[in-house]
Amino acid sequence: MEYAKRMTRIKESTTFKYSALARKPGVIDLTIGRTNYDTPKAIKDATKKALDEGKVHYTPTKGIPELRERIAEKLIAVNGIEGIDKEKVLVSAGAKQLIFEAVLATVNEGDTVAIPDPSWVSYESIVEFAGGMVDWLPTYPEEGFIPGERFFSALENSMPKLIFLNSPNNPTGAVYPKKVIKRIADIAARKNAWLVSDEIYEELIYEGEHFSAGSIYDKCIVVNGYSKNLSMTGWRLGYAACRDKEIIDKMNMIQEQSVSCATSFAQYGAVAAYGKDAGKETATMREDLRKRRDYLIGRLEDLDVVCVKPSGAFYAFPSFKEDDDIKLADKLIENGVATVPGSPFGSKGKGCLRLSYGASKIEELEEAVKRIERTIQ
Ligand code: PMP
Ligand code: GLU
């Protein structure tokens, strides 16, 4: 069979691949990036009400105005992104779709895109599918995976059309300090590059504070959503916003010719995410996740592995002596624990495994570490 040439530039998603491999009886699943909590009741109730009221039709492509208004208010009040209004907000079927649209709208064949190494597996694939080329910006465990001088020197030497920023970071859990984010935004401004600031783990921070590059740089496309903080991965709902309305309108055009709009009743449900009840559930979940993190990191410290204590998200990213992380991840599945190998997140992930503690209780984490220990001994 002959397929389009662009199909040689897209890879299977390693996170979904290992999540599928984990679906075996008796295997403890530390693969996919989700939590095991339910979506807050207020959101489910608002969604049921929308269904009962017949809100089952297409919505405006950008999303229902009442949701985009809430999002704009939040971006101004919480993130300090002055000048945002509902026309500068685009709601879509998940943050991933919005990243796709942002890249397709800005990156030409042969353009360079700068991506922190390691980073979420989908950035590289989306950029390459669009015809772009990746310049990796290295981060190191000894620096807590926070961008340091080697990162900035790689960025200075790059001529990117677009730069990715993701704090808290998937897979390292690193939360970038404000001064680091400012320095990245300054370089982006000097190079006239777009910035995609992926803030999907914003509300899952245990130490440090979130700072949005969208508040200081006009060409920053902020991407966020409901998947992680409200346990809504299956709802497929996220949003993007930018002070520059034109880029949002371009992304909207791609949306109009592809997904049309996000699911109508899911959007009505998400309006309830801005009430106090949903926020309380995020806070409870965060405290629970903190306990899991502390337990898991403590146990990993007992093993002979290097693991930076992650300040956010719900991943640990330990480095093992075994260099071939794919072989190690495969061996671990045979021994009853599924993780995601580190090298598909970038060369700096070589020898690492990503362990998600989002969906496993402490008892499962305890057994998972025992199985890891037995495998590496
Ligand atoms: N960005 C990062 C860093 C992620 O880990 C994920 C995975 N959910 C996404 C974006 C996509 O999220 P969504 O479910 O909203 O598409
Ligand atoms: N982002 C999550 C992860 O890294 C969900 C799967 C995906 O979209 O890659 O596991």
Side-chain angles (χ1 to χ4, degrees):
M1 281 281 221
E2 212 171 284
Y3 297 102
K5 284 200 185 72
R6 71 176 71 85
M7 288 310 294
T8 61
R9 303 197 308 256
I10 193 159
K11 285 187 223 148
E12 158 180 44
S13 162
T14 310
T15 50
F16 277 103
K17 177 179 172 182
Y18 277 82
S19 162
L21 292 172
R23 288 193 193 112
K24 274 191 199 157
V27 170
I28 300 172
D29 183 358
L30 307 183
T31 61
I32 205 78
R34 71 165 180 90
T35 64
N36 60 330
Y37 307 88
D38 198 1
T39 298
K41 187 174 178 305
I43 297 175
K44 288 169 77 168
D45 287 347
T47 307
K48 288 178 196 165
K49 185 164 172 278
L51 275 168
D52 289 343
E53 287 172 354
K55 305 265 177 52
V56 294
H57 305 289
Y58 290 128
T59 72
T61 307
K62 274 191 181 174
I64 56 170
E66 45 274 63
L67 178 58
R68 285 185 288 124
E69 266 160 25
R70 293 291 91 70
I71 294 168
E73 284 163 12
K74 180 264 180 193
L75 290 170
I76 294 169
V78 179
N79 303 117
I81 312 178
E82 295 301 332
I84 292 291
D85 60 53
K86 68 176 187 314
E87 294 313 317
K88 296 176 180 173
V89 173
L90 177 60
V91 173
S92 192
K96 194 186 260 176
Q97 173 68 21
L98 288 151
I99 292 169
F100 228 99
E101 292 170 5
V103 171
L104 284 180
T106 54
V107 175
N108 281 314
E109 293 271 337
D111 278 348
T112 297
V113 176
I115 303 182
D117 184 358
S119 265
W120 179 42
V121 292
S122 289
Y123 298 155
E124 181 190 25
S125 225
I126 293 172
V127 166
E128 289 181 349
F129 196 58
M133 289 175 327
V134 173
D135 266 356
W136 291 101
L137 311 171
T139 62
Y140 298 88
E142 59 272 23
E143 295 171 348
F145 290 113
I146 303 287
E149 289 317 312
R150 288 168 284 185
F151 176 103
F152 284 106
S153 136
L155 185 53
E156 289 291 4
N157 288 329
S158 177
M159 283 303 291
K161 186 78 178 283
L162 186 155
I163 302 165
F164 270 97
L165 177 58
N166 173 220
S167 174
N169 177 272
N170 176 3
T172 65
V175 175
Y176 295 2
K178 186 173 170 177
K179 66 173 190 306
V180 166
I181 292 173
K182 278 191 159 165
R183 196 168 162 192
I184 296 171
D186 283 349
I187 297 175
R190 186 157 30 84
K191 292 182 181 265
N192 195 24
W194 288 101
L195 199 57
V196 167
S197 180
D198 180 347
E199 305 183 7
I200 193 106
Y201 297 100
E202 169 186 12
E203 292 186 47
L204 301 179
I205 292 184
Y206 316 107
E207 285 101 27
E209 264 175 48
H210 181 70
F211 178 73
S212 175
S215 65
I216 49 167
Y217 185 42
D218 289 350
K219 284 184 74 174
C220 177
I221 304 162
V222 173
V223 176
N224 208 326
Y226 308 91
S227 282
K228 315 292 173 172
N229 55 332
L230 294 161
S231 276
M232 291 174 66
T233 52
W235 291 62
R236 309 310 306 129
L237 203 65
Y239 61 85
C242 186
R243 279 183 184 156
D244 178 329
K245 178 174 171 291
E246 223 171 281
I247 179 66
I248 293 297
D249 289 340
K250 299 283 180 212
M251 289 164 63
N252 189 47
M253 252 199 261
I254 299 173
Q255 175 143 310
E256 214 160 68
Q257 298 290 18
S258 51
V259 295
S260 297
C261 62
T263 304
S264 57
F265 40 89
Q267 293 186 55
Y268 285 98
V271 174
Y274 297 88
K276 63 179 184 328
D277 290 349
K280 268 194 225 149
E281 292 196 37
T282 301
T284 309
M285 181 171 85
R286 184 169 49 239
E287 284 322 300
D288 214 13
L289 289 172
R290 179 200 298 277
K291 286 185 197 135
R292 294 182 193 176
R293 176 199 66 158
D294 291 346
Y295 174 80
L296 180 62
I297 299 301
R299 285 292 288 114
L300 288 171
E301 276 167 5
D302 298 339
L303 308 185
D304 196 13
V305 298
V306 178
C307 188
V308 175
K309 190 172 186 181
S311 303
F314 39 60
Y315 307 110
F317 201 58
S319 170
F320 291 79
K321 285 201 181 116
E322 162 86 72
D323 226 22
D324 190 339
D325 48 274
I326 295 184
K327 214 162 98 189
L328 179 58
D330 291 345
K331 197 153 88 184
L332 280 169
I333 295 183
E334 280 167 32
N335 292 350
V337 54
T339 63
V340 182
S343 52
F345 293 86
S347 67
K348 293 289 169 272
K350 195 167 186 305
C352 298
L353 295 177
R354 192 190 76 174
L355 278 49
S356 168
Y357 53 86
S360 297
K361 297 194 176 127
I362 287 189
E363 308 80 76
E364 288 165 304
L365 295 174
E366 184 180 4
E367 180 55 28
V369 176
K370 279 187 195 154
R371 293 180 190 181
I372 293 173
E373 193 169 15
R374 279 200 295 270
T375 308
I376 61 174
Q377 266 165 3

